[in-house]
Amino acid sequence: MSAAGSLLVAAPLVAVLSLAVALRPARPDTVAPLRLAVVRAAVVTGAFAVLTVELLGALRLLTLPAFAVAWLIFVAATVTAAGWRRRRAAAPTGSGAARDLAAVRARLTDRWRTAGRGERLLAGTVGGLVLVELLIALLAEPNNFDSQTYHLPKVEHWVAQGSLEFWPTAIHRQVTIPPGAEYLLLHLRLFTGGDALHNLVQWAAGVGCLLAVARIAAQLGGGRRAQLLTAFVLGTTPMVALQATSTQTDLVCAAWVACVATLALDGLRRRAGVGTLLLLGAATGLTAVTKTSGLIGVGPLLLLWGIGQLRLAYVGGIVRGADRDRRAAARVDGPALPALVGAGRVGLPTGGADPVAPPAAADVARPGTGGGAPEPPGSRAGGVARTVAGSVLVVLVALLVVGPFLARVQAEFGHPLGPPRLRESIPMERHDPPSVLVNALRIGHTALDTPLAPVRAGTAEAIMAGARAIGVDPQDRAITFGRETFPVPSWYPDEDRVAFPLAGALALVGAALALARPARVSPTAAGALRGYAIVVVTAVVLHTAMIKWQPWGNRLLLYALVLAAPLAGLWLDSLLRRRLAPRPGAGVSGGAPSASGRRSVAVGLAVAMLAGSALAGVLALSYGFPRRLVGAGSVFTTSEWDTRFLRRPQWADEFRTAADAVRASGARRIGLVQQNDNWEYPWWLLLRDADGRPPELVALQSVLPDRPPADPASTDAIVCTGTRKVCADLVPAGWTLTWRGYVGYALPPPR
């Protein structure tokens, strides 16, 4: 990586930090303002990165100089905005960067000093896992299976042709799957000239998820302990820990969904301004352009936001401090009119005030409860119109982000969701209640799988027997992806399929309690908690009704797990709060000791599950696949090339031998023969010029009707993966075909 590339790599970080300063909320009652500033900065930076790729791609300028100019302008603008904001917010005596850093350091020190041992343990565990994930992300080469097939080849095609124009290919996912995460990788590819930093995109997304879910817990009434528990439950989940060191795309999608969630929850407390609407639209668009399934979670979140905005318009109340108006807030949050507002502090740790949670959130007073005179009907009508207009703006901004990609897909395949094979392979083709129920049970079984083989076999057999009893084939292709067969073990810590039984169970209990008894979980934000729980449950139900079961389905559920993590954290915190709180008359008479005993058992089980979660996270990083710290395949002892092939070690020498022969022949134009799930990315690495220029690789097959493949006779050599017969049928007469297991190559006769 050149010196210029090193400086450019720092540009996204500088932009996010500067934007966090420039976009930090000014309202004193904002929940977790620093985390909100980071969320805003991430969304703005992500939208800039995506739109830059779209614009420069349309101009056929996907080159390092063009990206360098774009980032330098953007960084200059963000730094200027941050400086203006600091000057505007500075005290009369002024404040410098050193003083700001000292204030932040003092605040963090005070929070650590006032934290209990349990809270320090939670924070230390999460922080330690994040740092270890960063180490693995930096040391390990990209070796995800899908990345070898289509994520990273997609990036290389863009670099080679300098545009986003579709190309002939046998792997339709290279052009039909939304490319938002790969757009982010493209920036790093141009800056560094390689893939050394590609894993950092998902790592940063993992950190963003932790910050967002902790803020969501605060918005739903959680204090410091609840926020730490939320981050702990999510951060120790093996799927999150493993994907944070990968070039997959699920964690990126989950991060954008979490941004939508925390921004939408703000809309339950106050009317949204133009800035918030733009951010909501950008986050929605980023979700859509990264992974379409994420919209299953975004849709209910935006609906909740819209209901909250309409309610604020209808109530026509005024914002006041909850400390001055707690009685009125209680009436609004009462059974007669469940409120979708409020996010005060609960569950303070023993030892004093909560230094993390902001002052109790403002509540909206209903007219007639002492909060001021009712607003006239015209004002309410204006508020409704403002909400409708804001919703339209959110959709328009989202379309601005994802629209160019959808337009290319529409032009190529006649449908914005791609060819029929894509539209029919993943979405459910049956939606009758029995089929949806069977699909939901299979997805739940795979998501909550454990190493206990008898339990796995027994529950799977019960699901299949029940399916047959209600007239549904448990292997029906209309509700099952491809040719896969249920069940498939998913407990092993593999990034593509690992289950999350502990986090899932905690989230399920938290969701049930949030729906049934929200006031016990979050006394100051019961309405908001119940509304959020309804959103999470709705997203999961929609997911099971829309997405077929598949062995890798746990990856697709990651966004839902991220959304559900605050429910688990809030429930655990309420359990600990009730256990530690003194109960009047406890131990005297009347059955109080029995209730206390039950709570003790529940607390013991919860603590045991948290300990199991910590162990699962540590084991996932230590022994997880295909990137681990110790054992065979360790990032410390495995060579760069062998690390790339940990999924298929037998292919490493085959690719290298074929590439060496092709390079020795002096071939410049090289034909590709492959099937839909074959590895293409190794060819881009092995056949690259010495100066780093990409090779001229052309496909000899194409699934794109209007983009015919290249003529084999027009190439200087042919490389093949998969089936020998398919390759042999395309090799011109007189050429020599050499085959080794999975890989082959063909060369013309000597001239």
Side-chain angles (χ1 to χ4, degrees), residues 544-567:
T544 60
M546 298 173 67
I547 305 295
K548 294 178 179 178
W549 175 86
Q550 56 180 279
W552 313 279
N554 291 342
R555 293 194 299 105
L556 303 183
L557 264 178
L558 189 55
Y559 76 90
L561 177 67
V562 170
L563 290 180
L567 301 178

Side-chain angles (χ1 to χ4, degrees), residues 315-699:
V315 170
I318 60 175
V319 177
R320 294 174 304 181
D323 292 336
R324 293 182 303 149
D325 205 41
R326 198 167 295 278
R327 289 192 302 274
R331 286 198 294 272
V332 175
D333 251 350
L337 182 61
L340 296 177
V341 297
R345 293 182 293 176
V346 298
L348 298 180
T350 56
D354 182 359
V356 171
D363 295 311
V364 175
R366 184 180 177 184
T369 61
E375 294 190 5
S379 178
R380 294 179 182 178
V384 172
R386 176 181 169 185
T387 299
V388 173
S391 302
V392 172
L393 179 59
V394 169
V395 173
L396 291 177
V397 174
L399 288 176
L400 176 65
V401 176
V402 71
F405 168 71
L406 295 180
R408 289 194 299 275
V409 175
Q410 171 71 37
E412 191 71 34
F413 300 103
H415 196 287
L417 298 182
R421 64 184 301 177
L422 177 63
R423 303 198 305 271
E424 298 169 1
S425 61
I426 297 178
M428 287 274 285
E429 298 177 77
R430 291 180 57 179
H431 298 92
D432 54 289
S435 296
V436 173
L437 175 61
V438 171
N439 193 55
L441 291 174
R442 295 184 305 166
I443 289 176
H445 178 275
T446 304
L448 302 177
D449 191 21
T450 70
L452 303 176
V455 175
R456 180 191 316 121
T459 53
E461 186 57 40
I463 291 173
M464 291 189 290
R468 298 186 190 98
I470 60 177
V472 178
D473 179 3
Q475 314 300 345
D476 186 354
R477 295 302 102 189
I479 61 174
T480 305
F481 178 81
R483 300 178 181 178
E484 305 302 326
T485 302
F486 174 84
V488 172
S490 60
W491 63 268
Y492 185 78
D494 184 305
E495 68 170 354
D496 283 339
R497 63 176 64 186
V498 61
F500 32 84
L502 296 175
L506 292 172
L508 287 174
V509 175
L513 291 176
L515 291 173
R517 308 187 71 177
R520 292 194 64 182
V521 177
S522 180
T524 59
L529 177 61
R530 176 175 281 166
Y532 184 78
I534 291 174
V535 163
V536 174
V537 172
T538 300
V540 173
V541 171
L542 288 175
H543 185 100
T544 60
M546 298 173 67
I547 305 295
K548 294 178 179 178
W549 175 86
Q550 56 180 279
W552 313 279
N554 291 342
R555 293 194 299 105
L556 303 183
L557 264 178
L558 189 55
Y559 76 90
L561 177 67
V562 170
L563 290 180
L567 301 178
L570 289 164
W571 164 65
L572 290 169
D573 178 66
S574 69
L575 182 65
L576 295 174
R577 185 173 69 248
R578 292 196 303 273
R579 176 66 182 87
L580 296 176
R583 295 180 60 84
V588 178
S589 62
S594 174
S596 178
R598 288 194 298 271
R599 284 195 300 273
S600 297
V601 171
V603 170
L605 289 175
V607 171
M609 294 183 72
L610 290 175
S613 296
L615 180 61
V618 171
L619 290 178
L621 292 178
S622 300
Y623 297 99
F625 197 72
R627 292 166 302 281
R628 57 176 53 164
L629 289 174
V630 297
S634 166
V635 294
F636 296 115
T637 60
T638 308
S639 69
E640 177 259 349
W641 189 247
D642 289 336
T643 298
R644 296 181 184 277
F645 283 85
L646 283 175
R647 286 283 187 193
R648 298 292 187 270
Q650 68 274 19
W651 295 349
D653 289 338
E654 297 177 9
F655 269 98
R656 191 188 293 274
T657 299
D660 288 344
V662 170
R663 290 175 64 89
S665 72
R668 291 296 309 158
R669 182 176 168 87
I670 303 165
L672 280 176
V673 178
Q674 53 197 1
Q675 285 79 62
N676 187 56
D677 207 30
N678 289 174
W679 285 16
E680 179 182 315
Y681 186 58
W683 298 126
W684 290 97
L685 297 175
L686 290 168
L687 299 175
R688 187 177 296 172
D689 290 345
D691 60 1
R693 287 186 303 170
E696 185 182 0
L697 296 178
V698 294

Side-chain angles (χ1 to χ4, degrees), residues 83-461:
W84 176 83
R85 174 63 186 275
R86 288 184 68 256
R87 287 192 299 271
R88 184 181 179 188
T93 56
S95 64
R99 183 176 301 178
D100 292 343
L101 290 175
V104 171
R105 186 164 51 249
R107 190 179 305 118
L108 293 176
T109 301
D110 182 65
R111 291 176 179 179
W112 183 261
R113 180 181 56 80
T114 58
R117 284 179 296 180
E119 294 169 348
R120 292 183 181 183
L121 181 61
L122 293 172
T125 301
V126 174
L129 289 175
V130 168
L131 291 177
V132 173
E133 290 161 7
L134 175 60
L135 176 66
I136 297 175
L138 291 172
L139 292 179
E141 285 70 30
N143 60 1
N144 173 264
F145 195 102
D146 285 347
S147 295
Q148 306 279 12
T149 300
Y150 67 96
H151 289 311
L152 300 187
K154 188 185 302 186
V155 176
E156 296 300 325
H157 276 286
W158 294 333
V159 173
Q161 64 188 24
S163 73
L164 300 175
E165 183 181 358
F166 289 163
W167 53 90
T169 178
I171 304 174
H172 76 86
R173 291 176 293 174
Q174 291 183 357
V175 297
T176 58
I177 298 294
E182 291 90 338
Y183 281 174
L184 305 182
L185 292 177
L186 175 60
H187 293 264
L188 293 178
R189 168 65 177 85
L190 291 172
F191 292 164
T192 65
D195 58 17
L197 300 182
H198 278 9
N199 293 332
L200 292 185
V201 170
Q202 283 257 113
W203 178 83
V207 174
C209 285
L210 294 175
L211 294 175
V213 297
R215 182 171 191 265
I216 292 171
Q219 290 172 288
L220 296 176
R224 176 167 59 191
R225 185 174 57 206
Q227 298 167 46
L228 290 174
L229 284 166
T230 297
F232 182 89
V233 169
L234 183 64
T236 56
T237 302
M239 175 68 77
V240 175
L242 291 171
Q243 286 232 2
T245 65
S246 168
T247 47
Q248 265 292 6
T249 62
D250 306 283
L251 208 50
V252 177
C253 173
W256 297 134
V257 174
C259 289
V260 174
T262 191
L263 292 170
L265 284 176
D266 279 340
L268 306 186
R269 302 174 58 248
R270 64 173 61 94
R271 300 308 305 274
V274 174
T276 299
L277 296 174
L278 295 175
L279 289 168
L280 269 174
T284 300
L286 289 169
T287 302
V289 81
T290 301
K291 211 173 189 71
T292 309
S293 57
L295 293 177
I296 299 174
V298 169
L301 285 168
L302 292 180
L303 181 60
L304 176 67
W305 172 84
I307 293 173
Q309 292 288 286
L310 288 174
R311 182 183 182 280
L312 292 174
Y314 171 77
V315 170
I318 60 175
V319 177
R320 294 174 304 181
D323 292 336
R324 293 182 303 149
D325 205 41
R326 198 167 295 278
R327 289 192 302 274
R331 286 198 294 272
V332 175
D333 251 350
L337 182 61
L340 296 177
V341 297
R345 293 182 293 176
V346 298
L348 298 180
T350 56
D354 182 359
V356 171
D363 295 311
V364 175
R366 184 180 177 184
T369 61
E375 294 190 5
S379 178
R380 294 179 182 178
V384 172
R386 176 181 169 185
T387 299
V388 173
S391 302
V392 172
L393 179 59
V394 169
V395 173
L396 291 177
V397 174
L399 288 176
L400 176 65
V401 176
V402 71
F405 168 71
L406 295 180
R408 289 194 299 275
V409 175
Q410 171 71 37
E412 191 71 34
F413 300 103
H415 196 287
L417 298 182
R421 64 184 301 177
L422 177 63
R423 303 198 305 271
E424 298 169 1
S425 61
I426 297 178
M428 287 274 285
E429 298 177 77
R430 291 180 57 179
H431 298 92
D432 54 289
S435 296
V436 173
L437 175 61
V438 171
N439 193 55
L441 291 174
R442 295 184 305 166
I443 289 176
H445 178 275
T446 304
L448 302 177
D449 191 21
T450 70
L452 303 176
V455 175
R456 180 191 316 121
T459 53
E461 186 57 40

